[in-house]
Amino acid sequence: MNAADITIVIVAWNQAQKTLDCLATVAALHTPPGGVLLVDNGSAPPLAAAVGARFPTVEILRLPDNRGFAGGYNAGIQHALDSGAAAVL
């Protein structure tokens, strides 16, 4: 397995700047992952506009409500696997 087989899942809720900082760190990785999935865990306002403007290749899964830490990650992991990820980080 190599980095291209891995999807990084990040869950965020209502903290646009911290989310952008986290995504900047991931973007700076020496070996980039196969994909990055941001789970917007019911943020108000949604994070899609801020994230999409700066990181257009990041996939966003918008949940209609905050499912908590585990619920957000479980939704993200399931989405990544259903989309063909061999592994999730």
Side-chain angles (χ1 to χ4, degrees), residues 18-86:
K18 287 184 180 181
T19 302
L20 293 172
D21 292 346
C22 178
L23 291 170
T25 299
V26 171
L29 290 173
H30 178 69
T31 304
V36 177
L37 172 65
L38 175 70
V39 180
D40 183 346
N41 209 5
S43 297
L47 298 170
V51 170
R54 192 160 159 204
F55 301 99
T57 61
V58 170
E59 181 181 5
I60 300 171
L61 173 62
R62 167 99 171 120
L63 302 179
D65 54 1
N66 187 336
R67 298 184 186 176
F69 183 82
Y73 272 107
N74 285 337
I77 291 167
Q78 189 63 59
H79 182 84
L81 294 174
D82 289 347
S83 297

